[in-house]
Amino acid sequence: MSAHAATAPAAGHHEPSKFHTYVQIAMLLGVITGIEIVLVYLPLAKWFVVGGLVFFSAVKFLYVIFYFMHLKWDKVFCTILFFIGLVLAGGTMWALLHLFGAEASKPLSSIVGLLL
């Protein structure tokens, strides 16, 4: 026989399955979503609500990409590529928000009046 034969786990030792981990993370994501919904309806300062929503959505994002998208078990290079794309997407979103912001929505008649 080969020395590389797989050994059975010791009696009484139970290795937790990935299924239970996924269910627990899904439950945690559901609780965080519930907190976000309640947070929107609480009479709190707007900056606190927006900050809380950004924080909770970042936590949910990290759980989803590292467990459900399996980045936790991928090579580090794949994770770096993912985050490079995320930074590029965030920069593009920031640029578009500023490009089509409040200043860009002024009517052309007011701009033409300033030029004359």
Side-chain angles (χ1 to χ4, degrees):
M1 282 265 150
S2 170
H4 299 291
T7 59
H13 180 268
H14 176 41
E15 185 175 332
S17 68
K18 288 183 182 178
F19 175 77
H20 293 300
T21 303
Y22 289 143
V23 170
Q24 289 173 348
I25 292 172
M27 295 292 185
L28 178 67
L29 294 175
V31 168
I32 291 173
T33 302
I35 292 170
E36 288 175 334
I37 291 171
V38 169
L39 188 63
V40 169
Y41 292 105
L42 290 177
L44 300 170
K46 186 176 181 179
W47 65 269
F48 185 77
V49 172
V50 171
L53 291 175
V54 167
F55 172 76
F56 284 128
S57 63
V59 168
K60 288 192 326 185
F61 172 76
L62 290 174
Y63 268 109
V64 168
I65 66 166
F66 280 113
Y67 282 97
F68 293 114
M69 292 177 63
H70 308 289
L71 278 181
K72 181 178 179 182
W73 298 282
D74 279 348
K75 294 180 181 178
V76 176
F77 181 70
C78 294
T79 305
I80 291 170
L81 284 178
F82 180 84
F83 279 105
I84 288 172
L86 181 66
V87 168
L88 288 173
T92 303
M93 184 181 74
W94 179 82
L96 287 173
L97 285 172
H98 281 78
L99 183 64
F100 297 110
E103 291 296 320
S105 64
K106 288 185 178 178
L108 287 178
S109 61
S110 65
I111 294 173
V112 172
L114 291 174
L115 294 175
L116 293 176

